[in-house]
Amino acid sequence: MSVQTTTTTGTSPATTVQFPPDFVWGMATASYQIEGAVAEDGRTPSIWDTFSRIPGAVLGGDTGDVACEHYHRMPADVALLADLGATSYRFSVAWPRVRPDAGPVNPAGLAFYDRLVDELLSHGIAPWLTLYHWDLPQVLEDAGGWTNRDTAHRFVEYAVSVHEALGDRVPTWTTLNEPWCSAFLGYSAGHHAPGRQEGAAGLVAGHHLLLAHGLATQELRSRGADRLGLSLNLTVPDPSDPADPVDVDAARRIDGLHNRFFLDPIFRGAYPADVLEDTAGLTWQDRPWLDAVRDGDLDVISAPIDVLGVNYYHGNEVSGHPRTDVVGIGADHPARVALSPFPGSEHVTFPSRGLPLTAMGWEIQPEGLHRLLRRLHDDYPHLPIHLTETGAAFDDRLDEQGRVHDPDRIAFLDSYLRAVHRAIEEGVDVRGFYQWSFCDNFEWAFGYAKRFGLVHVDYATQRRTPKSSAHWYAELARTGVLPAPEDAAD
Protein backbone atom coordinates (compact mmCIF):
# COMPACT_ATOMS: atom_id res chain seq x y z
CA MET A 1 0.00 0.00 0.00
CA SER A 2 1.30 3.43 -0.88
CA VAL A 3 -0.10 6.50 0.85
CA GLN A 4 -1.33 9.05 -1.64
CA THR A 5 -0.12 12.62 -1.37
CA THR A 6 -2.14 14.45 -3.98
CA THR A 7 -3.67 17.75 -2.96
CA THR A 8 -6.28 18.29 -5.63
CA THR A 9 -9.57 19.78 -4.57
CA GLY A 10 -11.38 16.49 -5.11
CA THR A 11 -14.77 18.11 -5.43
CA SER A 12 -17.12 18.76 -8.30
CA PRO A 13 -17.05 22.28 -9.73
CA ALA A 14 -19.22 24.73 -7.83
CA THR A 15 -22.20 24.29 -10.10
CA THR A 16 -25.58 22.66 -9.70
CA VAL A 17 -25.26 18.85 -9.57
CA GLN A 18 -27.89 16.12 -9.64
CA PHE A 19 -27.63 13.02 -7.48
CA PRO A 20 -29.10 9.68 -8.62
CA PRO A 21 -32.87 9.45 -8.11
CA ASP A 22 -32.55 6.53 -5.67
CA PHE A 23 -29.79 8.15 -3.59
CA VAL A 24 -30.54 7.84 0.13
CA TRP A 25 -30.71 11.05 2.16
CA GLY A 26 -30.40 10.13 5.79
CA MET A 27 -29.74 11.46 9.25
CA ALA A 28 -28.03 9.63 12.08
CA THR A 29 -27.96 9.46 15.86
CA ALA A 30 -26.78 7.09 18.62
CA SER A 31 -28.68 5.77 21.62
CA TYR A 32 -26.61 7.13 24.51
CA GLN A 33 -26.24 10.50 22.83
CA ILE A 34 -29.96 11.25 22.54
CA GLU A 35 -32.19 8.87 24.50
CA GLY A 36 -31.78 9.83 28.14
CA ALA A 37 -33.98 7.76 30.48
CA VAL A 38 -30.88 5.84 31.55
CA ALA A 39 -32.53 4.20 34.55
CA GLU A 40 -36.05 3.69 33.17
CA ASP A 41 -37.91 0.57 32.06
CA GLY A 42 -35.20 -1.77 33.24
CA ARG A 43 -32.15 -0.22 31.56
CA THR A 44 -28.93 -0.79 33.50
CA PRO A 45 -25.63 1.14 33.32
CA SER A 46 -23.38 1.17 30.29
CA ILE A 47 -19.70 2.00 30.23
CA TRP A 48 -20.62 5.55 29.26
CA ASP A 49 -22.85 5.98 32.31
CA THR A 50 -19.84 4.98 34.41
CA PHE A 51 -17.17 6.86 32.46
CA SER A 52 -19.11 10.13 32.41
CA ARG A 53 -19.09 10.12 36.21
CA ILE A 54 -15.31 10.01 36.46
CA PRO A 55 -14.22 13.53 37.45
CA GLY A 56 -12.70 15.26 34.42
CA ALA A 57 -13.57 12.53 31.94
CA VAL A 58 -16.29 14.57 30.22
CA LEU A 59 -16.13 18.30 29.70
CA GLY A 60 -18.30 20.12 32.23
CA GLY A 61 -19.11 16.89 34.06
CA ASP A 62 -21.91 16.24 31.56
CA THR A 63 -23.65 12.87 31.31
CA GLY A 64 -26.21 11.28 29.01
CA ASP A 65 -28.73 10.90 31.82
CA VAL A 66 -31.23 13.22 30.11
CA ALA A 67 -29.58 14.02 26.77
CA CYS A 68 -32.35 14.93 24.29
CA GLU A 69 -35.10 12.97 26.05
CA HIS A 70 -35.63 11.10 22.80
CA TYR A 71 -36.87 8.08 24.74
CA HIS A 72 -39.96 10.11 25.67
CA ARG A 73 -40.11 12.43 22.63
CA MET A 74 -39.57 9.84 19.92
CA PRO A 75 -42.85 10.23 17.96
CA ALA A 76 -42.38 13.99 17.64
CA ASP A 77 -38.73 13.52 16.67
CA VAL A 78 -39.69 11.07 13.92
CA ALA A 79 -42.31 13.51 12.63
CA LEU A 80 -39.61 16.17 12.49
CA LEU A 81 -37.31 13.80 10.61
CA ALA A 82 -40.06 13.35 8.04
CA ASP A 83 -40.66 17.09 7.80
CA LEU A 84 -36.97 17.54 7.06
CA GLY A 85 -37.06 15.12 4.15
CA ALA A 86 -35.14 12.18 5.59
CA THR A 87 -35.62 9.03 3.51
CA SER A 88 -33.65 6.92 6.01
CA TYR A 89 -32.79 7.19 9.68
CA ARG A 90 -29.72 5.53 11.14
CA PHE A 91 -30.13 4.87 14.86
CA SER A 92 -28.48 2.59 17.38
CA VAL A 93 -29.96 0.24 19.93
CA ALA A 94 -28.85 0.43 23.56
CA TRP A 95 -27.56 -2.99 24.59
CA PRO A 96 -28.20 -2.34 28.33
CA ARG A 97 -31.79 -1.39 27.53
CA VAL A 98 -32.51 -4.57 25.56
CA ARG A 99 -30.50 -7.01 27.69
CA PRO A 100 -29.88 -5.26 31.03
CA ASP A 101 -26.65 -6.38 32.66
CA ALA A 102 -26.19 -8.57 29.56
CA GLY A 103 -28.86 -10.87 30.95
CA PRO A 104 -32.27 -11.96 29.64
CA VAL A 105 -34.20 -9.86 27.14
CA ASN A 106 -36.04 -6.90 28.68
CA PRO A 107 -39.40 -6.63 26.88
CA ALA A 108 -39.97 -3.02 27.99
CA GLY A 109 -36.65 -1.87 26.59
CA LEU A 110 -37.03 -3.75 23.33
CA ALA A 111 -40.55 -2.35 22.95
CA PHE A 112 -39.14 1.16 22.55
CA TYR A 113 -37.29 0.16 19.39
CA ASP A 114 -40.31 -1.74 18.15
CA ARG A 115 -42.33 1.48 18.42
CA LEU A 116 -39.53 3.49 16.83
CA VAL A 117 -39.35 1.22 13.78
CA ASP A 118 -43.12 1.32 13.31
CA GLU A 119 -43.11 5.10 13.68
CA LEU A 120 -40.39 5.46 11.04
CA LEU A 121 -42.17 3.18 8.61
CA SER A 122 -45.45 5.02 9.08
CA HIS A 123 -43.65 8.20 7.94
CA GLY A 124 -42.02 6.53 4.95
CA ILE A 125 -38.55 6.54 6.51
CA ALA A 126 -36.37 3.45 6.09
CA PRO A 127 -34.81 2.26 9.38
CA TRP A 128 -31.05 1.63 9.39
CA LEU A 129 -30.15 -0.12 12.64
CA THR A 130 -26.77 -0.09 14.36
CA LEU A 131 -26.38 -2.75 17.02
CA TYR A 132 -23.38 -1.27 18.81
CA HIS A 133 -22.60 2.42 19.12
CA TRP A 134 -20.35 2.18 22.17
CA ASP A 135 -22.75 1.60 25.11
CA LEU A 136 -21.41 -1.74 26.36
CA PRO A 137 -23.20 -3.02 29.49
CA GLN A 138 -21.01 -2.12 32.46
CA VAL A 139 -21.31 -5.65 33.83
CA LEU A 140 -19.43 -6.92 30.75
CA GLU A 141 -16.72 -4.32 31.20
CA ASP A 142 -16.38 -5.49 34.80
CA ALA A 143 -15.58 -8.91 33.32
CA GLY A 144 -12.93 -7.47 30.99
CA GLY A 145 -15.02 -5.72 28.33
CA TRP A 146 -13.76 -6.03 24.79
CA THR A 147 -10.45 -7.46 26.02
CA ASN A 148 -12.47 -10.52 27.10
CA ARG A 149 -13.18 -12.85 24.18
CA ASP A 150 -16.46 -13.87 25.78
CA THR A 151 -17.87 -10.38 25.08
CA ALA A 152 -17.98 -11.23 21.37
CA HIS A 153 -20.28 -14.18 22.11
CA ARG A 154 -22.48 -12.10 24.40
CA PHE A 155 -22.80 -9.61 21.52
CA VAL A 156 -24.18 -12.34 19.27
CA GLU A 157 -26.83 -13.20 21.87
CA TYR A 158 -27.84 -9.55 22.00
CA ALA A 159 -27.87 -9.21 18.21
CA VAL A 160 -30.15 -12.22 17.86
CA SER A 161 -32.57 -10.77 20.42
CA VAL A 162 -32.88 -7.53 18.47
CA HIS A 163 -33.17 -9.29 15.12
CA GLU A 164 -35.90 -11.61 16.38
CA ALA A 165 -37.97 -8.56 17.30
CA LEU A 166 -37.21 -6.22 14.41
CA GLY A 167 -35.81 -8.30 11.57
CA ASP A 168 -39.13 -8.39 9.72
CA ARG A 169 -39.14 -4.59 9.33
CA VAL A 170 -35.54 -3.36 9.37
CA PRO A 171 -33.78 -3.83 6.02
CA THR A 172 -30.20 -2.83 6.95
CA TRP A 173 -28.19 -4.02 9.93
CA THR A 174 -24.90 -2.49 11.02
CA THR A 175 -23.07 -4.59 13.58
CA LEU A 176 -20.56 -2.02 14.86
CA ASN A 177 -20.05 1.69 14.61
CA GLU A 178 -16.44 2.84 14.50
CA PRO A 179 -14.66 -0.06 16.19
CA TRP A 180 -11.43 1.99 16.00
CA CYS A 181 -12.91 4.36 18.58
CA SER A 182 -14.22 1.56 20.78
CA ALA A 183 -10.87 -0.21 20.78
CA PHE A 184 -8.16 2.41 20.63
CA LEU A 185 -9.85 5.41 22.26
CA GLY A 186 -11.43 3.18 24.88
CA TYR A 187 -8.62 0.76 25.77
CA SER A 188 -5.32 2.28 24.56
CA ALA A 189 -5.72 6.02 25.10
CA GLY A 190 -8.54 6.26 27.62
CA HIS A 191 -10.16 9.16 25.78
CA HIS A 192 -13.49 7.30 25.61
CA ALA A 193 -15.26 4.80 27.81
CA PRO A 194 -14.21 2.63 29.53
CA GLY A 195 -11.23 4.96 29.90
CA ARG A 196 -8.51 2.33 30.06
CA GLN A 197 -4.98 3.39 29.13
CA GLU A 198 -3.39 0.01 28.48
CA GLY A 199 -1.58 0.32 25.15
CA ALA A 200 -1.81 -3.06 23.44
CA ALA A 201 -5.18 -3.74 25.07
CA GLY A 202 -6.63 -1.71 22.20
CA LEU A 203 -5.32 -4.27 19.72
CA VAL A 204 -6.88 -7.11 21.68
CA ALA A 205 -10.16 -5.20 21.97
CA GLY A 206 -10.07 -4.41 18.26
CA HIS A 207 -9.71 -8.09 17.39
CA HIS A 208 -12.58 -9.10 19.65
CA LEU A 209 -14.77 -6.36 18.17
CA LEU A 210 -14.04 -7.69 14.70
CA LEU A 211 -14.74 -11.21 15.91
CA ALA A 212 -18.07 -10.03 17.32
CA HIS A 213 -18.89 -8.48 13.96
CA GLY A 214 -18.07 -11.68 12.09
CA LEU A 215 -19.94 -13.97 14.47
CA ALA A 216 -23.03 -11.76 14.44
CA THR A 217 -22.90 -11.44 10.65
CA GLN A 218 -22.85 -15.22 10.28
CA GLU A 219 -25.64 -15.73 12.79
CA LEU A 220 -27.95 -13.04 11.42
CA ARG A 221 -27.32 -14.27 7.88
CA SER A 222 -28.44 -17.73 8.95
CA ARG A 223 -31.64 -16.13 10.24
CA GLY A 224 -32.50 -14.49 6.94
CA ALA A 225 -30.84 -11.07 7.17
CA ASP A 226 -29.72 -10.11 3.67
CA ARG A 227 -28.27 -6.61 4.11
CA LEU A 228 -25.49 -6.65 6.66
CA GLY A 229 -22.45 -4.47 7.20
CA LEU A 230 -20.62 -2.22 9.63
CA SER A 231 -19.51 1.41 9.78
CA LEU A 232 -15.79 2.22 9.88
CA ASN A 233 -14.39 5.66 10.61
CA LEU A 234 -11.58 6.01 8.11
CA THR A 235 -8.94 8.64 7.59
CA VAL A 236 -6.60 9.85 4.85
CA PRO A 237 -3.05 10.15 6.24
CA ASP A 238 -0.62 12.26 4.21
CA PRO A 239 3.07 12.49 5.13
CA SER A 240 4.04 15.98 6.19
CA ASP A 241 7.05 15.80 3.89
CA PRO A 242 6.59 13.20 1.13
CA ALA A 243 10.37 13.23 0.58
CA ASP A 244 11.12 12.40 4.24
CA PRO A 245 11.16 8.62 4.89
CA VAL A 246 10.34 9.22 8.56
CA ASP A 247 7.13 11.10 7.67
CA VAL A 248 6.22 8.55 4.99
CA ASP A 249 6.64 5.76 7.53
CA ALA A 250 4.48 7.65 10.03
CA ALA A 251 1.67 7.97 7.48
CA ARG A 252 1.95 4.27 6.71
CA ARG A 253 1.66 3.44 10.40
CA ILE A 254 -1.47 5.55 10.89
CA ASP A 255 -3.04 4.13 7.76
CA GLY A 256 -2.32 0.66 9.11
CA LEU A 257 -3.73 1.13 12.59
CA HIS A 258 -6.63 3.38 11.66
CA ASN A 259 -7.76 1.94 8.31
CA ARG A 260 -6.22 -1.36 7.30
CA PHE A 261 -6.40 -2.95 10.76
CA PHE A 262 -10.14 -3.18 10.09
CA LEU A 263 -10.45 -3.21 6.30
CA ASP A 264 -7.99 -6.01 5.63
CA PRO A 265 -9.38 -8.64 8.02
CA ILE A 266 -12.91 -7.93 6.80
CA PHE A 267 -12.15 -7.95 3.07
CA ARG A 268 -8.91 -9.96 2.82
CA GLY A 269 -9.10 -12.29 5.80
CA ALA A 270 -5.75 -11.19 7.25
CA TYR A 271 -4.20 -8.45 9.34
CA PRO A 272 -1.73 -6.31 7.35
CA ALA A 273 1.79 -7.71 7.55
CA ASP A 274 3.34 -4.30 8.27
CA VAL A 275 0.92 -3.67 11.15
CA LEU A 276 1.81 -7.04 12.65
CA GLU A 277 5.48 -6.14 12.32
CA ASP A 278 4.97 -2.72 13.92
CA THR A 279 3.15 -4.28 16.89
CA ALA A 280 5.03 -7.58 17.17
CA GLY A 281 6.72 -6.62 20.43
CA LEU A 282 3.59 -5.35 22.17
CA THR A 283 2.17 -7.37 25.02
CA TRP A 284 -0.93 -7.26 27.14
CA GLN A 285 -1.10 -9.05 30.48
CA ASP A 286 2.44 -10.32 29.85
CA ARG A 287 1.49 -12.08 26.61
CA PRO A 288 1.87 -11.03 22.97
CA TRP A 289 -1.30 -9.30 21.86
CA LEU A 290 -1.46 -11.63 18.86
CA ASP A 291 -2.27 -14.50 21.22
CA ALA A 292 -5.82 -13.11 21.09
CA VAL A 293 -6.07 -14.24 17.46
CA ARG A 294 -7.07 -17.90 17.31
CA ASP A 295 -7.26 -20.34 14.43
CA GLY A 296 -10.38 -19.68 12.38
CA ASP A 297 -10.98 -16.18 13.71
CA LEU A 298 -10.09 -14.44 10.47
CA ASP A 299 -12.37 -16.74 8.48
CA VAL A 300 -15.20 -15.59 10.73
CA ILE A 301 -14.23 -11.92 10.55
CA SER A 302 -14.14 -12.03 6.75
CA ALA A 303 -17.70 -13.34 6.45
CA PRO A 304 -19.17 -11.55 3.41
CA ILE A 305 -21.03 -8.31 4.02
CA ASP A 306 -23.43 -6.47 1.75
CA VAL A 307 -22.78 -2.81 2.45
CA LEU A 308 -19.91 -0.78 3.86
CA GLY A 309 -20.65 2.20 6.05
CA VAL A 310 -17.98 4.90 5.88
CA ASN A 311 -17.70 7.63 8.49
CA TYR A 312 -15.41 10.47 7.43
CA TYR A 313 -14.87 13.86 9.00
CA HIS A 314 -11.29 14.74 8.03
CA GLY A 315 -7.91 13.35 7.08
CA ASN A 316 -4.59 14.18 8.69
CA GLU A 317 -1.14 15.41 7.86
CA VAL A 318 1.20 12.98 9.62
CA SER A 319 4.78 13.32 10.81
CA GLY A 320 7.23 11.01 12.51
CA HIS A 321 9.01 13.97 14.09
CA PRO A 322 8.10 15.92 17.24
CA ARG A 323 5.96 18.90 16.25
CA THR A 324 4.31 21.69 18.20
CA ASP A 325 2.02 22.94 15.41
CA VAL A 326 -0.42 20.06 15.83
CA VAL A 327 -4.17 19.64 15.55
CA GLY A 328 -6.17 17.32 17.75
CA ILE A 329 -7.64 14.08 16.53
CA GLY A 330 -10.85 15.28 18.15
CA ALA A 331 -11.34 12.54 20.72
CA ASP A 332 -10.27 14.20 23.94
CA HIS A 333 -11.20 17.56 25.34
CA PRO A 334 -8.37 19.99 26.11
CA ALA A 335 -8.64 19.67 29.90
CA ARG A 336 -7.54 16.01 29.82
CA VAL A 337 -4.06 14.61 29.37
CA ALA A 338 -4.10 12.97 25.95
CA LEU A 339 -2.43 9.62 25.34
CA SER A 340 -1.86 8.19 21.90
CA PRO A 341 -4.49 5.80 20.51
CA PHE A 342 -1.86 4.26 18.22
CA PRO A 343 -0.04 1.48 20.11
CA GLY A 344 3.48 1.02 18.80
CA SER A 345 3.34 4.36 16.98
CA GLU A 346 3.00 6.76 19.88
CA HIS A 347 5.69 9.02 18.42
CA VAL A 348 3.54 10.06 15.47
CA THR A 349 2.31 13.68 15.41
CA PHE A 350 -0.40 15.43 13.42
CA PRO A 351 0.76 18.84 12.19
CA SER A 352 -1.69 21.53 11.17
CA ARG A 353 -2.03 22.24 7.46
CA GLY A 354 -3.62 25.60 8.10
CA LEU A 355 -6.99 24.47 6.78
CA PRO A 356 -10.25 25.90 8.11
CA LEU A 357 -11.38 24.21 11.32
CA THR A 358 -14.72 23.14 12.75
CA ALA A 359 -15.55 23.81 16.40
CA MET A 360 -14.04 20.39 17.19
CA GLY A 361 -10.68 21.61 15.94
CA TRP A 362 -10.94 19.25 12.96
CA GLU A 363 -9.63 20.38 9.60
CA ILE A 364 -12.20 20.68 6.82
CA GLN A 365 -10.90 18.46 4.03
CA PRO A 366 -13.45 17.41 1.39
CA GLU A 367 -10.79 16.32 -1.10
CA GLY A 368 -9.74 13.68 1.40
CA LEU A 369 -13.22 12.18 1.20
CA HIS A 370 -12.95 11.92 -2.57
CA ARG A 371 -9.58 10.18 -2.31
CA LEU A 372 -10.89 7.83 0.37
CA LEU A 373 -13.86 6.77 -1.72
CA ARG A 374 -11.65 6.19 -4.73
CA ARG A 375 -9.22 4.15 -2.65
CA LEU A 376 -11.98 1.91 -1.30
CA HIS A 377 -13.22 1.39 -4.85
CA ASP A 378 -9.76 0.64 -6.20
CA ASP A 379 -8.30 -1.46 -3.37
CA TYR A 380 -11.23 -3.41 -1.93
CA PRO A 381 -14.27 -5.32 -3.25
CA HIS A 382 -16.79 -3.09 -4.98
CA LEU A 383 -19.41 -3.07 -2.27
CA PRO A 384 -22.16 -0.48 -2.09
CA ILE A 385 -20.94 2.35 0.14
CA HIS A 386 -23.02 4.63 2.31
CA LEU A 387 -21.55 7.66 4.03
CA THR A 388 -23.08 6.67 7.36
CA GLU A 389 -21.65 9.72 9.13
CA THR A 390 -20.23 13.06 8.24
CA GLY A 391 -20.96 16.51 9.52
CA ALA A 392 -19.50 19.38 11.48
CA ALA A 393 -19.79 21.10 14.82
CA PHE A 394 -20.03 24.87 14.88
CA ASP A 395 -20.89 27.37 17.59
CA ASP A 396 -24.60 27.57 16.79
CA ARG A 397 -26.79 29.99 18.72
CA LEU A 398 -30.40 31.10 18.62
CA ASP A 399 -30.74 34.66 17.35
CA GLU A 400 -33.20 37.25 18.64
CA GLN A 401 -35.91 35.83 16.40
CA GLY A 402 -35.36 32.32 17.77
CA ARG A 403 -33.64 31.08 14.60
CA VAL A 404 -30.28 29.42 14.04
CA HIS A 405 -28.40 30.55 10.95
CA ASP A 406 -25.46 28.22 10.23
CA PRO A 407 -23.97 29.02 6.82
CA ASP A 408 -20.67 27.35 7.77
CA ARG A 409 -22.42 23.98 8.10
CA ILE A 410 -24.15 24.44 4.75
CA ALA A 411 -20.79 25.23 3.13
CA PHE A 412 -19.23 22.19 4.82
CA LEU A 413 -21.95 19.82 3.63
CA ASP A 414 -21.88 21.33 0.16
CA SER A 415 -18.15 20.69 -0.18
CA TYR A 416 -18.31 17.13 1.15
CA LEU A 417 -21.30 16.26 -1.01
CA ARG A 418 -19.47 17.55 -4.09
CA ALA A 419 -16.65 15.15 -3.22
CA VAL A 420 -19.19 12.32 -3.03
CA HIS A 421 -20.77 13.34 -6.34
CA ARG A 422 -17.41 13.42 -8.08
CA ALA A 423 -16.67 9.90 -6.81
CA ILE A 424 -20.04 8.67 -8.08
CA GLU A 425 -19.32 10.18 -11.50
CA GLU A 426 -16.03 8.26 -11.51
CA GLY A 427 -17.77 4.95 -10.90
CA VAL A 428 -17.65 4.57 -7.11
CA ASP A 429 -20.85 2.91 -5.88
CA VAL A 430 -21.94 5.41 -3.23
CA ARG A 431 -25.64 5.07 -2.51
CA GLY A 432 -26.40 7.27 0.47
CA PHE A 433 -25.38 10.10 2.75
CA TYR A 434 -26.22 10.33 6.47
CA GLN A 435 -25.77 13.71 8.09
CA TRP A 436 -24.33 13.59 11.59
CA SER A 437 -26.40 14.47 13.33
CA PHE A 438 -30.15 14.84 13.21
CA CYS A 439 -30.06 16.97 16.35
CA ASP A 440 -27.55 18.42 18.79
CA ASN A 441 -26.71 15.84 21.44
CA PHE A 442 -24.22 14.49 23.97
CA GLU A 443 -20.88 14.63 22.14
CA TRP A 444 -19.03 12.01 24.17
CA ALA A 445 -15.98 13.46 25.99
CA PHE A 446 -17.07 16.97 24.95
CA GLY A 447 -20.45 16.64 26.65
CA TYR A 448 -22.94 19.22 25.41
CA ALA A 449 -20.29 21.76 24.41
CA LYS A 450 -20.30 20.81 20.71
CA ARG A 451 -23.27 21.00 18.36
CA PHE A 452 -23.36 18.79 15.26
CA GLY A 453 -27.11 18.81 14.66
CA LEU A 454 -29.26 20.02 11.82
CA VAL A 455 -31.73 20.68 14.63
CA HIS A 456 -30.80 22.89 17.56
CA VAL A 457 -31.70 21.53 20.99
CA ASP A 458 -32.23 23.83 23.96
CA TYR A 459 -31.20 21.39 26.68
CA ALA A 460 -33.00 23.35 29.40
CA THR A 461 -36.38 23.17 27.65
CA GLN A 462 -35.76 20.36 25.10
CA ARG A 463 -37.16 22.63 22.41
CA ARG A 464 -36.13 21.63 18.89
CA THR A 465 -35.38 24.35 16.34
CA PRO A 466 -34.38 23.35 12.79
CA LYS A 467 -31.33 25.33 11.70
CA SER A 468 -30.88 26.92 8.29
CA SER A 469 -28.89 23.82 7.32
CA ALA A 470 -31.89 21.63 8.14
CA HIS A 471 -34.07 23.48 5.64
CA TRP A 472 -31.25 23.39 3.08
CA TYR A 473 -30.78 19.66 3.58
CA ALA A 474 -34.53 19.02 3.42
CA GLU A 475 -34.72 20.66 0.00
CA LEU A 476 -31.72 18.65 -1.16
CA ALA A 477 -33.32 15.42 0.08
CA ARG A 478 -36.57 16.19 -1.73
CA THR A 479 -34.98 17.13 -5.06
CA GLY A 480 -31.60 15.40 -5.15
CA VAL A 481 -30.24 18.66 -6.55
CA LEU A 482 -27.21 20.30 -4.93
CA PRO A 483 -27.49 23.94 -5.93
CA ALA A 484 -24.61 26.18 -6.85
CA PRO A 485 -23.33 27.83 -3.66
CA GLU A 486 -24.58 31.26 -4.70
CA ASP A 487 -28.07 29.79 -5.14
CA ALA A 488 -27.92 28.08 -1.73
CA ALA A 489 -27.11 31.39 -0.08
CA ASP A 490 -30.21 33.11 -1.47
Side-chain angles (χ1 to χ4, degrees):
M1 194 287 306
S2 61
V3 178
Q4 295 178 321
T5 60
T6 57
T7 57
T8 58
T9 60
T11 58
S12 302
T15 59
T16 299
V17 297
Q18 175 76 58
F19 280 81
D22 56 352
F23 195 79
V24 174
W25 297 100
M27 301 179 199
T29 62
S31 50
Y32 188 73
Q33 294 183 267
I34 67 166
E35 285 180 1
V38 296
E40 296 185 35
D41 292 337
R43 183 190 180 278
T44 53
S46 75
I47 55 175
W48 271 96
D49 295 286
T50 302
F51 181 74
S52 63
R53 283 169 169 75
I54 298 173
V58 176
L59 197 63
D62 292 336
T63 74
D65 288 3
V66 177
C68 305
E69 284 191 349
H70 176 70
Y71 190 75
H72 297 298
R73 297 170 179 265
M74 180 269 292
D77 284 344
V78 172
L80 183 53
L81 279 165
D83 288 344
L84 296 178
T87 58
S88 183
Y89 175 55
R90 177 175 172 257
F91 65 94
S92 76
V93 174
W95 189 344
R97 200 180 291 286
V98 169
R99 295 192 72 139
D101 288 336
V105 172
N106 172 30
L110 195 52
F112 169 73
Y113 301 103
D114 190 77
R115 295 192 301 272
L116 170 59
V117 168
D118 282 348
E119 198 73 27
L120 291 167
L121 293 172
S122 72
H123 284 81
I125 300 172
W128 181 304
L129 188 150
T130 298
L131 285 163
Y132 187 69
H133 200 134
W134 308 353
D135 42 4
L136 182 73
Q138 179 61 41
V139 69
L140 290 181
E141 176 56 32
D142 294 341
W146 287 110
T147 58
N148 182 350
R149 186 180 179 92
D150 183 64
T151 300
H153 297 283
R154 302 290 76 78
F155 177 75
V156 178
E157 295 173 350
Y158 154 65
V160 168
S161 299
V162 179
H163 188 266
E164 285 179 343
L166 306 178
D168 60 330
R169 286 160 291 156
V170 175
T172 308
W173 292 73
T174 298
T175 53
L176 308 175
N177 178 76
E178 299 186 356
W180 181 84
C181 293
S182 299
F184 295 112
L185 297 183
Y187 290 85
S188 292
H191 298 176
H192 279 187
R196 289 161 61 176
Q197 298 178 326
E198 300 174 18
L203 297 163
V204 176
H207 176 69
H208 290 154
L209 281 153
L210 285 169
L211 181 63
H213 156 75
L215 289 169
T217 296
Q218 290 181 330
E219 184 61 31
L220 295 188
R221 182 84 68 199
S222 75
R223 293 168 178 268
D226 61 3
R227 188 169 165 81
L228 295 162
L230 79 170
S231 288
L232 301 177
N233 58 310
L234 302 173
T235 190
V236 179
D238 292 320
S240 186
D241 180 357
D244 182 346
V246 174
D247 286 350
V248 172
D249 182 69
R252 177 196 60 77
R253 286 170 173 269
I254 298 309
D255 181 67
L257 284 169
H258 204 301
N259 296 333
R260 291 180 286 118
F261 185 88
F262 299 97
L263 288 166
D264 281 20
I266 291 166
F267 292 116
R268 296 175 177 169
Y271 285 108
D274 63 314
V275 173
L276 297 183
E277 183 177 348
D278 291 341
T279 61
L282 300 183
T283 62
W284 183 72
Q285 293 189 339
D286 299 324
R287 300 180 65 182
W289 83 266
L290 263 173
D291 283 2
V293 183
R294 299 183 184 176
D295 289 346
D297 282 3
L298 287 158
D299 291 334
V300 173
I301 292 168
S302 59
I305 60 175
D306 310 294
V307 61
L308 176 63
V310 174
N311 296 358
Y312 173 87
Y313 292 90
H314 61 93
N316 285 105
E317 182 174 309
V318 180
S319 178
H321 300 285
R323 296 283 291 267
T324 57
D325 56 331
V326 297
V327 294
I329 60 171
D332 205 23
H333 65 78
R336 272 174 62 86
V337 175
L339 296 185
S340 172
F342 298 106
S345 297
E346 291 88 351
H347 65 287
V348 171
T349 55
F350 301 92
S352 168
R353 287 174 287 204
L355 297 174
L357 302 177
T358 70
M360 292 290 287
W362 297 348
E363 293 185 320
I364 298 173
Q365 190 198 10
E367 58 85 18
L369 176 55
H370 172 257
R371 283 196 278 143
L372 173 62
L373 294 172
R374 282 302 310 263
R375 178 195 181 175
L376 293 170
H377 176 80
D378 294 342
D379 292 356
Y380 294 94
H382 293 176
L383 279 179
I385 293 172
H386 284 70
L387 266 294
T388 41
E389 281 185 34
T390 195
F394 292 106
D395 294 328
D396 305 318
R397 293 178 176 85
L398 292 166
D399 64 18
E400 293 179 355
Q401 288 74 43
R403 299 172 301 190
V404 180
H405 187 47
D406 57 339
D408 289 342
R409 182 171 290 103
I410 293 173
F412 176 98
L413 291 172
D414 177 90
S415 66
Y416 277 50
L417 279 162
R418 290 182 186 279
V420 172
H421 187 268
R422 180 181 173 190
I424 293 172
E425 287 187 317
E426 294 171 355
V428 183
D429 189 8
V430 185
R431 300 189 185 182
F433 185 96
Y434 290 76
Q435 149 69 21
W436 184 270
S437 172
F438 161 54
C439 61
D440 296 335
N441 53 48
F442 177 83
E443 184 46 44
W444 306 116
F446 287 86
Y448 298 102
K450 306 298 180 183
R451 293 181 178 271
F452 276 86
L454 293 177
V455 175
H456 179 275
V457 177
D458 181 327
Y459 296 113
T461 64
Q462 293 296 335
R463 179 172 179 173
R464 274 75 160 141
T465 302
K467 305 173 187 178
S468 297
S469 59
H471 300 297
W472 177 88
Y473 191 75
E475 182 64 18
L476 174 59
R478 292 185 180 103
T479 66
V481 175
L482 183 62
E486 60 271 18
D487 296 332
D490 291 343

